[in-house]
Amino acid sequence: MQQKGIVFTTRLSVSDCANLFRETGDALRGVGRKLLEATAKVAGHGDLTGYYTPEFNSPFARVDGIPEFAVGINIMKFSAAAQGNGTHVHMYVDDRGDHRDVQLVSNHTITGGMRSGRMVRKFFEAFQGTDAGVRVTDSKV
């Protein structure tokens, strides 16, 4: 798997970051994708839709660092909703006192890179629109 992502700092609080992620995710899901989520749930893939907490399965997670706040969303694809397929975007936030370090990442296959990059950019643009002091420290979108 490959990954698209952007790492940046913001002066928004952890709670503000979470709310902005939720608002942006809801806007990206829209009515049509929420109907697709219902289709996926009926097909038995309900656990693959909407918001979730990413899992840290690495035995080194505690040493490498677990973020203070982590959230993920699966934004359904119109062409494959019955299988629960979508684009997953994760946000990881660490509180550094006077600022927050934020990572927006989306893993993808060879054919999903453009959509993953577009979704990560949409979330990042929401942060830029809310906090003029956003500073990018790493980007692969």
Side-chain angles (χ1 to χ4, degrees):
M1 279 234 159
Q2 298 175 340
Q3 187 178 77
K4 298 287 183 185
I6 190 161
V7 180
F8 58 95
T9 62
T10 181
R11 297 214 180 259
L12 296 175
S13 69
V14 174
S15 179
D16 290 340
C17 291
N19 289 332
L20 190 56
F21 187 88
R22 182 182 4 233
E23 290 168 8
T24 306
D26 286 348
L28 288 171
R29 287 165 63 209
V31 175
R33 286 198 172 86
K34 287 179 184 175
L35 291 172
L36 293 175
E37 288 177 17
T39 301
K41 287 178 184 177
V42 169
H45 301 290
D47 57 330
L48 301 175
T49 64
Y51 296 99
Y52 58 92
T53 302
E55 294 182 14
F56 299 97
N57 295 327
S58 167
F60 299 101
R62 294 238 182 247
V63 174
D64 293 340
I66 297 174
E68 293 176 43
F69 177 75
V71 64
I73 185 172
N74 181 6
I75 303 168
M76 304 302 288
K77 294 179 184 176
F78 285 109
S79 61
Q83 290 82 38
N85 293 337
T87 301
H88 294 262
V89 179
H90 292 181
M91 178 178 72
Y92 306 108
V93 183
D94 284 302
D95 191 342
R96 303 292 187 218
D98 63 338
H99 71 277
R100 263 55 54 215
D101 291 334
V102 180
Q103 298 177 48
L104 295 168
V105 296
S106 178
N107 291 328
H108 63 85
T109 61
I110 291 173
T111 60
M114 286 179 51
R115 188 165 197 268
S116 283
R118 186 171 61 250
M119 294 296 159
V120 167
R121 280 191 300 277
K122 293 282 187 187
F123 281 96
F124 179 66
E125 288 166 1
F127 277 90
Q128 284 182 309
T130 304
D131 178 6
V134 165
R135 187 175 53 86
V136 175
T137 56
D138 190 19
S139 178
K140 292 182 178 72
V141 287

